[in-house]
């Protein structure tokens, strides 16, 4: 992202953030830990970067109420460490936590990991937010209690907006009890088998917290009471042998933490890769995966795939000739659209940058989205051009 | 006049039986569940398709005539209160379930489908729709979306917004768009998330895509009696701090117990100062492991008796009693005001005692029946409207109770919405600028300001010339947060 000529400001709190915004002229880019600056189209002509990395305070935490308020720049790792002292956690497992991803950055990208199956994304966990518009208006939405329907839920609008509407300065979140135990199973499976496993699990009274397909394996995780996770894992294997394949192999994974770390890192990809997030209905996984392989063949690139089986979200990491990345994206997106799905580029290999279409064709509500943008950022100063439809 | 033109146009569009413009039938639509507020609409229309809804809205937009969407009219905040010079768009005839996808566990319903009909339609597949407002047999899914409705099982499973994946939506200018969808992570701003809970002020929902869940393997339910609400509150805190997330955790105080018992004959202990209903669900092993712990926490908090539901029939009876609570109140009192304030659940005991004192001081009985797990109180202030002045005094007490909730760090509404009823209380929770920013979003959706105007936001006409004074949020007072 070209922000070389921009000046960078690091406010300490909401008040300083507001001052920074009031003082700044021109185009603004709001950043946290900087781990997902590659998301979206490169914004054009950024004049001032406002970075939240000095806004790391815990504002309030009541374990018994299971709510926590933080400044947006608090590293997610730091928040999780604080919550862990009370056997709680913010129930998300996005990538980049070890690289310094902030709570606000995860919120602004709505980034998520395999556990979104059980808990949803950060969008489902935010109960309040304070934000600053480019014109210096400061708004608060939601509150400090889990249940609250007073006023519009502005946090939903800001979540995943890539900083194109406002700077998110503070967040209030609901937290969950940290499960006492977990069990991970590895089940060899091609895409078709993975989809069948998904259907069987979805229709059964078992509650896996993550079902990830990668390396021709379905990785299943159960979390909860120590006695119960084992019983659930056993029941699940019996069920899958009945419904999917009598000779289905299922091994308990010893180094589960390492497996889940690798799977989570896989969602982010690495330098030199183009990472594309595709989505379809869960049962369409085999078609979407085949479409991904076909697109790679067509574009002359190599691709690695992984999928949140029960959510219907696939991640493709494209390697090889950067000249083919754009063609891959177009071809896979076309196939996914035929299925009623869509694709978004999450990271672009440096050399492939120019030609890659990050967003694809605009959604049916594009007109409304533009009107929202127009109302909240009328001069188009927040990360110009970064979001869908060139917003 | 514009409204006459619209009547003729809509009669051509919808047929004579799709338009009501006079006579006693109009009166049916004067109010929603908040029966104290009544306005006769100029025109009622009953469209049967999305295209008809869009045509109606386009015509209203052309003529700059306000319109209000109405589902089943069970709302408790006057959200569906008609506009005297406007069109009431009743969605009750759009009640088909259009698509069921068992393997991907979602369903597409028209807005007039009742909440209970959704779960009923997929029961044969052991699936269900989680949010379960007490009014579920009658209220519409469109109304649920508009109010972001909750229910007794939302503690574990979340609210409407966590279960609605997508919407078909007619904008306030009459355009048909899709927001979100059955497929995850649709690109763009999460307008679905803004429309859920917007109380019909942004446009009209014409289809709803809901997520379905597999029925849990095991369910265990207990009723615990306590001498005081404070002890029951202590049990709530003990259970949640132990890391247990019950499917539901509901409390009734003595007055509420009496009303429910007379109505539903659940076998509640009429002597109990408070009764707590706790339900766990999930995989059998998980539920078995935790249910004993729940009982222990209740005992330690001072439960005088614990009754465990023997079977599904007994469980259903318990919930029937709980869900009939509002209706049952009619047996105790001719009239009542329901509040919907929220407090941090750790302050339950303290706030309930304060409500008790306020009730004594004001001389009106207050029954409490509420979602204890998430601190959502429903204090019912009982009065007799035939006696001069009682309605005003009772309403005043009711408002003071909700202010107490806000002062305790909570909210003016947990699930019933702001509507016409609490619009003037919004400044108690939000500053002028907070509200102005929400208004900007409203303007983005409805530039002409014709979509359910006068609801949700305080207006000088509604609330007097001066908007209510802004009060610092308790966290601000404590120096934990500041407003600029
Ligand atoms: C006895 C009783 C118990 C209740 N219990 C609960 C409870 O446990 N939890 C809870 O959350 N609520 C509860 N409610 C409140 C009420 O049932 C809910 O708010 C419900 O969602 C309203 O649905 P409805 O179809 O009746 O909507 P209506 O009352 O008709 O409308 C409500 C609001 O939604 C808007 N609206 C309706 N349909 C649409 C649409 N298609 N598009 C856009 N806007 C629309 C209206 O304009 C209005 O603002 C209860 C009410 C009663 C009477």
């Amino acid at each position: 992202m070209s922000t070389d000529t921009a000046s960078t400001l690091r406010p300490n709190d909401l008040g300083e953030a507001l001052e920074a915004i009031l003082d700044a002229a021109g185009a603004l880019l709001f950043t946290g830990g900087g781990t997902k600056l590659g998301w979206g189209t490169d914004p054009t002509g950024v004049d001032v970067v406002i970075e939240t990395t000095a806004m790391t305070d815990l504002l309030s935490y009541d374990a018994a109420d299971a709510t926590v308020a933080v400044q947006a720049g608090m590293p997610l790792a730091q928040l999780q460490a604080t919550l862990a002292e009370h056997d709680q956690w913010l129930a998300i497992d996005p990538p980049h936590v070890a690289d310094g991803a902030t709570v606000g950055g995860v919120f602004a990208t709505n980034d998520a990991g395999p556990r979104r199956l059980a808990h949803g994304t950060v969008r489902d966990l935010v109960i309040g937010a304070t934000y600053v518009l480019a014109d210096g208006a400061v708004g608060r939405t939601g509150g400090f209690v889990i249940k609250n329907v007073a006023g519009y839920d502005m946090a939903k609008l800001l979540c995943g907006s890539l900083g194109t509407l406002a700077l998110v300065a503070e967040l209030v979140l609901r937290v969950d009890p940290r499960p006492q135990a977990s069990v991970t199973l590895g089940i060899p499976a091609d895409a078709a088998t993975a989809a069948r496993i998904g259907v069987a699990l979805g229709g059964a009274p078992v509650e896996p917290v993550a079902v990830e397909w990668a390396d021709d394996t379905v990785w299943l995780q159960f979390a909860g009471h120590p006695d119960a996770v084992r019983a659930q894992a056993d029941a699940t294997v019996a069920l899958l042998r009945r419904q999917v394949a009598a000779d289905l192999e299922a091994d308990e994974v010893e180094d589960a933490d390492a497996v889940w770390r690798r799977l989570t890192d896989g969602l982010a990809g690495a330098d030199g890769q183009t990472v594309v997030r595709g989505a379809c209905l869960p049962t369409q996984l085999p078609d979407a995966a085949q479409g991904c392989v076909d697109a790679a063949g067509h574009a002359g690139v190599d691709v690695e795939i992984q999928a949140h089986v029960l959510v219907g979200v696939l991640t493709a990491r494209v390697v090889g000739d950067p000249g083919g990345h754009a063609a891959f994206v177009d071809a896979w997106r076309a196939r996914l659209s035929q299925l009623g799905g869509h694709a978004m580029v999450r990271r672009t290999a440096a050399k492939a940058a120019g030609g890659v279409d990050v967003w694809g064709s605009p959604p049916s509500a594009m007109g409304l989205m533009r009107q929202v943008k127009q109302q909240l950022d009328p001069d188009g100063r927040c990360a110009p051009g970064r979001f869908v439809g060139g917003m | 006049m514009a409204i006459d033109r619209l009547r003729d146009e809509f009669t051509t569009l919808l047929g004579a039986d799709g338009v009501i413009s006079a006579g006693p039938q109009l009166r049916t639509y004067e109010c929603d569940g908040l029966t104290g507020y009544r306005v006769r609409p100029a025109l009622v229309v009953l469209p049967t398709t999305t295209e008809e809804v869009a045509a109606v809205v386009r015509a209203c937009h052309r003529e700059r005539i306000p319109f209000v969407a109405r589902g089943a009219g069970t709302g408790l905040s006057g959200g569906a209160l008609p506009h005297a010079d406007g069109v009431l768009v009743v969605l009750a005839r759009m009640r088909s379930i259009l698509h069921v996808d068992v393997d991907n566990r979602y369903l597409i319903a028209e807005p007039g489908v009742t909440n209970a009909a959704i779960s009923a339609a997929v029961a044969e597949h052991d699936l269900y729709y989680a949010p379960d407002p007490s009014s579920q047999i009658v209220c519409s899914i469109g109304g649920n979306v508009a109010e972001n409705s909750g229910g007794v099982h939302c503690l574990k499973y979340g609210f409407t917004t966590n279960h609605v994946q997508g919407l078909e939506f007619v904008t306030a200018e009459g355009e048909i768009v899709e927001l979100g969808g059955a497929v995850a992570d649709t690109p763009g701003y999460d307008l679905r998330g803004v429309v859920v809970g917007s109380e019909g002020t942004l446009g009209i929902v014409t289809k709803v895509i809901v997520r379905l869940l597999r029925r849990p393997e095991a369910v265990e339910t207990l009723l615990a009696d306590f001498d005081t609400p404070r002890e029951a509150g202590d049990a709530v805190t003990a259970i949640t701090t132990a890391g247990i997330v019950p499917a539901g955790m509901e409390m009734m105080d003595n007055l509420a117990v009496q009303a429910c018992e007379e109505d539903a004959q659940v076998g509640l202990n009429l002597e109990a100062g408070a009764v707590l209903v706790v339900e766990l669900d999930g995989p059998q092993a998980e539920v078995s492991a935790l249910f004993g712990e729940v009982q222990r926490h209740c005992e330690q908090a001072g439960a005088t008796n614990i009754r465990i539901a023997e079977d599904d029939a007994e469980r259903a009876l318990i919930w029937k009693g709980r869900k009939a609570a509002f209706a049952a109140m009619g047996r105790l009192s001719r009239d009542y005001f329901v509040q919907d304030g929220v407090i941090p659940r750790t302050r339950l005991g303290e706030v309930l005692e304060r409500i008790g004192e306020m009730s004594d001081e004001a001389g009106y009985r207050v029954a409490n029946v509420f979602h204890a797990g998430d601190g959502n109180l429903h204090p019912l202030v009982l009065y007799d409207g035939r006696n001069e002045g009682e309605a005003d005094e009772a309403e005043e007490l009711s408002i003071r109770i909700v202010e107490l909730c806000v002062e305790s760090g909570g909210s003016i509404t947990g699930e019933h919405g702001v509507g016409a009823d609490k619009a003037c209380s919004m400044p108690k929770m939000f500053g002028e600028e907070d509200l102005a920013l929400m208004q900007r979003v409203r303007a983005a959706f409805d530039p002409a300001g014709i979509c359910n105007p006068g609801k949700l936001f305080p207006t000088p006409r509604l609330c007097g010339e001066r908007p209510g004074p802004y009060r610092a949020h308790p966290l601000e007072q404590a120096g934990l947060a500041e407003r600029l």
Side-chain angles (χ1 to χ4, degrees):
Chain A
M1 181 166 295
S2 56
T3 54
D4 303 347
T5 56
S7 57
T8 299
L9 302 170
R10 291 183 190 80
N12 282 300
D13 57 24
L14 174 60
E16 288 187 18
L18 173 62
E19 260 170 56
I21 286 179
L22 288 175
D23 288 348
L28 307 171
L29 181 68
F30 308 130
T31 70
T35 60
K36 292 174 281 287
L37 288 180
W39 286 38
T41 318
D42 253 4
T44 45
V46 172
D47 297 296
V48 180
V49 175
I50 299 181
E51 195 183 289
T52 61
T53 48
M55 298 171 62
T56 59
D57 288 354
L58 184 73
L59 299 172
S60 71
Y61 173 33
D62 191 323
D65 281 323
T67 56
V68 66
V70 297
Q71 287 186 328
M74 172 176 280
L76 181 55
Q78 185 183 332
L79 175 62
Q80 298 290 28
T82 303
L83 300 174
E85 290 169 22
H86 297 267
D87 292 324
Q88 293 184 329
W89 73 312
L90 178 64
I92 55 172
D93 59 341
H96 296 301
V97 177
D99 317 332
T102 61
V103 178
V106 171
F107 175 77
T109 52
N110 196 26
D111 201 8
R115 294 287 279 271
R116 67 181 284 183
L117 173 61
H119 300 276
T121 66
V122 67
R123 172 176 299 165
D124 297 292
L125 304 175
V126 166
I127 56 175
T130 308
Y131 55 98
V132 189
L133 300 194
D135 65 10
V138 177
R140 201 162 271 171
T141 172
F144 295 82
V145 281
I146 289 166
K147 198 170 185 188
N148 176 13
V149 296
Y152 295 155
D153 193 348
M154 303 287 279
K156 294 283 189 297
L157 195 56
L158 299 172
C159 185
S161 66
L162 299 184
T164 58
L165 295 174
L167 171 76
V168 176
E170 296 172 357
L171 289 165
V172 192
L173 304 137
R174 71 178 284 177
V175 299
D176 281 274
R178 180 173 279 275
Q180 295 169 39
S182 68
V183 169
T184 296
L185 300 176
I187 303 171
D190 59 13
T193 310
R196 280 165 56 218
I197 289 175
V199 170
L201 291 172
V206 289
E207 295 178 4
V209 294
V211 182
E212 197 76 357
W213 179 64
D215 334 308
D216 278 324
T217 304
V218 168
W219 306 95
L220 272 181
Q221 189 175 33
F222 296 95
H225 195 278
D227 301 344
V229 286
R230 175 95 22 214
Q232 275 211 68
D234 293 345
T236 299
V237 173
L239 169 95
L240 295 179
R241 290 202 174 126
R242 269 197 317 276
Q243 294 195 5
V244 178
D247 58 350
L248 177 117
E249 284 172 53
D251 291 318
E252 186 173 337
V253 176
E254 293 297 327
D255 52 348
D257 286 351
V259 168
W260 289 107
R261 209 172 310 120
R262 185 165 53 77
L263 291 170
T264 304
D265 288 347
L267 299 171
D271 287 343
Q273 300 178 339
T274 292
V275 178
V276 189
R277 188 62 58 91
C280 59
L281 292 174
T283 51
Q284 295 171 329
L285 173 66
D287 274 347
Q290 186 58 47
C292 185
V293 172
D294 294 347
H298 160 80
V301 296
D302 291 322
V303 67
E304 298 165 354
I305 318 173
Q306 81 181 65
H308 304 321
V309 177
L310 279 170
V311 183
V313 168
L314 297 89
T315 299
R317 294 180 295 276
V318 189
V319 292
D321 179 15
H325 290 198
F328 167 83
V329 171
D330 293 343
W332 194 33
R333 176 175 283 138
R335 182 70 167 269
L336 287 167
S337 326
Q338 279 169 5
L339 295 174
H342 48 82
M344 269 177 281
V345 176
R346 283 281 169 93
R347 175 186 210 126
T348 312
K351 296 198 182 100
V356 173
D357 178 2
V358 173
W359 293 104
S361 46
S364 87
M366 197 64 225
L368 271 187
M369 291 181 196
R370 278 192 207 289
Q371 282 166 238
V372 169
K373 169 81 173 174
Q374 173 66 27
Q375 280 289 333
L376 297 184
D377 181 24
D379 300 324
R381 291 175 58 207
C382 301
R386 190 178 188 189
F387 208 52
V388 62
M391 285 189 293
Chain B
M1 259 173 53
I3 200 78
D4 299 319
R5 270 201 303 280
L6 288 182
R7 188 190 53 228
D8 296 343
E9 188 173 336
F10 293 160
T11 307
T12 311
L13 179 74
L14 307 171
D17 75 335
V19 181
I20 304 169
S21 59
Q25 259 189 299
L26 263 190
R27 205 169 305 147
T28 319
Y29 297 103
E30 276 178 357
C31 66
D32 61 8
L34 185 74
T35 51
Y37 289 55
R38 283 172 193 272
V39 172
R40 190 166 300 194
L43 209 57
V44 174
V45 294
L46 298 129
T48 55
T49 65
T50 300
E51 286 67 31
E52 288 177 359
V53 173
V56 165
V57 170
R58 273 197 303 275
C60 289
H61 183 255
R62 185 191 68 224
E63 305 285 351
R64 295 295 187 271
I65 292 286
F67 62 91
V68 178
R70 176 184 167 109
T74 68
L76 292 172
S77 55
L81 185 72
H83 195 288
D85 305 315
V87 177
L88 189 73
V89 184
V90 178
L91 285 313
R93 287 190 183 166
M94 294 178 67
R95 50 192 324 144
S96 303
I97 291 177
L98 301 172
H99 181 69
V100 179
D101 186 334
V102 172
D103 284 346
N104 291 303
R105 294 179 313 290
Y106 75 90
L107 167 160
I108 306 179
E110 289 187 325
V113 173
T114 63
N115 173 294
I118 292 180
S119 288
V122 292
E124 58 175 310
H125 306 289
D126 284 328
L127 298 174
Y128 75 112
Y129 173 67
D132 57 341
S134 300
S135 49
Q136 68 193 130
I137 298 167
V138 272
C139 68
S140 74
I141 188 68
N144 290 179
V145 167
E147 300 289 2
N148 188 15
S149 298
V152 293
H153 289 94
C154 284
L155 175 57
K156 176 172 174 185
Y157 292 102
F159 315 101
T160 302
T161 190
N162 307 110
H163 295 271
V164 167
Q165 299 179 311
L167 302 170
E168 180 187 79
F169 182 72
V170 172
T171 70
E173 296 174 306
E175 193 193 346
I176 302 169
V177 297
E178 283 164 33
L179 309 179
V183 172
D185 298 346
T186 38
Y189 298 128
D190 182 15
L191 302 185
R192 173 213 60 91
V194 183
V195 167
V196 176
S198 63
E199 306 190 15
T201 62
L202 299 179
I204 299 186
V205 171
T206 47
K207 279 182 197 139
V208 187
I209 304 178
V210 300
R211 192 157 73 96
L212 303 170
L213 299 185
R214 172 65 164 80
R215 284 214 173 276
E217 182 179 25
V219 188
E220 292 281 8
T221 313
L222 65 73
L223 273 173
D225 302 343
F226 294 88
D227 287 336
T228 62
R230 184 182 272 274
E231 287 168 338
D234 291 345
V236 169
T237 301
I239 290 166
T240 49
T241 36
I244 300 169
V245 184
M249 188 147 55
E250 302 283 310
M251 200 195 293
M252 290 181 263
D253 70 3
N254 182 268
L255 260 185
V257 165
Q258 290 186 30
C260 288
E261 187 53 28
E262 203 166 316
D263 204 65
Q265 281 107 42
V266 181
L268 299 173
N269 175 1
L270 294 173
E271 307 296 314
V275 169
L276 193 63
V277 185
V278 187
E279 184 159 291
L280 296 187
D281 71 12
Q284 181 68 59
E286 185 82 23
V287 171
S288 309
L290 297 177
F291 198 56
E293 271 189 55
V294 168
Q295 291 172 54
R296 212 164 37 250
H297 289 302
C298 288
E299 280 157 13
Q300 281 166 6
T304 53
N305 184 47
I306 293 180
R307 169 176 152 201
I308 295 169
E310 294 279 345
D311 50 26
D312 285 346
E314 189 174 358
R315 188 175 358 272
L317 182 65
I318 291 172
W319 284 120
K320 185 170 158 240
R322 162 61 188 89
K323 290 185 180 180
F326 290 176
M329 235 21 97
R331 294 180 181 270
L332 286 189
S333 172
R334 190 172 175 276
D335 302 294
Y336 58 86
F337 285 106
V338 189
Q339 276 297 4
D340 178 40
V342 187
I343 53 167
R345 65 182 170 219
T346 46
R347 304 193 61 177
L348 271 178
E350 169 196 339
V351 170
L352 288 175
E353 281 177 11
R354 182 72 198 111
I355 291 175
E357 289 163 17
M358 288 160 71
S359 155
D360 291 344
E361 281 160 24
Y364 289 92
R365 291 182 300 168
V366 178
N368 285 291
V369 41
F370 55 91
H371 311 298
D374 40 32
N376 186 190
L377 307 181
H378 290 315
L380 296 115
V381 179
L382 313 184
Y383 70 99
D384 185 339
R386 288 169 305 190
N387 299 338
E388 172 93 28
E390 281 207 10
D392 288 346
E393 285 175 19
E395 185 170 25
E396 207 175 291
L397 172 61
S398 179
I399 291 171
R400 280 209 307 281
I401 290 175
V402 95
E403 289 178 10
L404 171 69
C405 293
V406 178
E407 284 155 17
S408 306
S411 169
I412 57 172
T413 173
E415 57 184 17
H416 295 169
V418 176
D421 186 33
K422 292 184 219 65
C424 299
S425 299
M426 283 290 272
K428 301 245 155 53
M429 269 194 80
F430 296 108
E432 262 175 61
E433 200 159 52
D434 303 334
L435 294 172
L437 292 180
M438 293 179 193
Q439 292 269 29
R440 287 208 217 170
V441 170
R442 175 155 161 55
F445 276 82
D446 175 23
I450 54 169
C451 184
N452 209 1
K455 313 286 172 63
L456 211 155
F457 295 103
T459 60
R461 191 181 61 78
L462 220 59
C463 312
E465 282 311 312
R466 272 157 41 85
Y470 168 70
R471 297 247 203 87
H473 192 280
L475 273 179
E476 289 175 60
Q477 286 171 342
L480 289 169
E482 66 186 287
R483 172 177 305 275
L484 296 149

